[in-house]
Amino acid sequence: MNSSRSRTSARLLLATLLSMTLASTALAAARSPQVPVSGTALATFFAAQGQAIAVNSQQLDLQRTSVPASTGFGMRTFVGASVSHGIYNAAAIAPALYQVCPGAATMGWFAVAAFRAAPQRLVVNLFDASSTLQGNNVYLGADNTDFGFYEAGPGGTFYSQDARNAGGSARMLAFNGTGAFAGSTWLCTETGAGPGGDFADVITLVDLSLAPVPTRPSSWSRVKQLYR
């Protein structure tokens, strides 16, 4: 298959998978209590991305979540070198980590994942900055009805569920995307010793609305804008 045909196939696959986000269910309410965010690094990042987000008062309660079967979503890291990210089954005592994006991914790379049934699994496709497919994985047993997010890098592995982190402290905060990123969710991770911090060490965008906000259709043009 030539490179042009490969890119075209990748775009069709991506648009198809991300269109499934329209079936997603909004589940997350506000985190209570809100976690204090120190400094201005996170607010400065959001402002640079055109995001109207109050970091100390608009955090989502997104420690674990669920989506309908066949839901698709995209992920990429905006901040954080050599960091992998993905999901895990939130109910498992010692959950396997289902990697969506590897730490070796460079600027502009992104991944698209989709839950599937019969058998229950997560299908992941990784693309480079030119939208050329770089690899894929299938994770049997990934549970769309109860899962969390994780980030793993030089500083350790951090979970969206507070209880899984050292000291039971919050290490990952979630926010609704706004403006050009409306219908997506930001995951912001603190990798320091904690508790607390600026939560700007690793920042990931999940192209999936997991809170009660209006969503918009996922077209290829929108995806390119989000992941450029």
Side-chain angles (χ1 to χ4, degrees), residues 30-53:
R31 179 187 269 266
S32 181
Q34 298 275 292
V35 176
V37 176
S38 62
T40 61
L42 187 56
T44 299
F45 168 82
F46 281 143
Q49 299 297 325
Q51 299 295 279
I53 297 174

Side-chain angles (χ1 to χ4, degrees), residues 123-201:
V123 179
V124 177
N125 292 276
L126 178 67
F127 299 89
D128 66 14
S130 66
S131 305
T132 300
L133 183 67
Q134 295 298 309
N136 54 69
N137 284 297
V138 178
Y139 300 107
L140 294 175
D143 186 1
N144 64 286
T145 68
D146 188 8
F147 66 94
F149 294 94
Y150 79 88
E151 306 277 5
T157 300
F158 305 97
Y159 300 89
S160 56
Q161 289 175 286
D162 298 349
R164 294 188 183 275
N165 299 316
S169 62
R171 305 301 290 275
M172 185 183 297
L173 301 181
F175 300 89
N176 285 326
T178 69
F181 298 103
S184 296
T185 303
W186 293 100
L187 301 178
C188 306
T189 303
E190 173 58 48
T191 63
D198 63 13
F199 291 89
D201 298 329

Side-chain angles (χ1 to χ4, degrees), residues 25-107:
T25 302
L27 299 176
R31 179 187 269 266
S32 181
Q34 298 275 292
V35 176
V37 176
S38 62
T40 61
L42 187 56
T44 299
F45 168 82
F46 281 143
Q49 299 297 325
Q51 299 295 279
I53 297 174
V55 300
N56 283 295
S57 61
Q58 293 183 324
Q59 301 160 18
L60 304 176
D61 184 10
L62 198 62
Q63 296 192 47
R64 61 203 299 174
T65 190
S66 65
V67 295
S70 297
T71 295
F73 60 93
M75 292 186 77
R76 71 161 285 195
T77 295
F78 276 67
V79 176
S82 302
V83 176
S84 63
H85 50 258
I87 70 166
Y88 63 92
N89 291 343
I93 295 175
L97 302 181
Y98 303 131
Q99 179 179 273
V100 176
C101 262
T106 58
M107 183 65 66

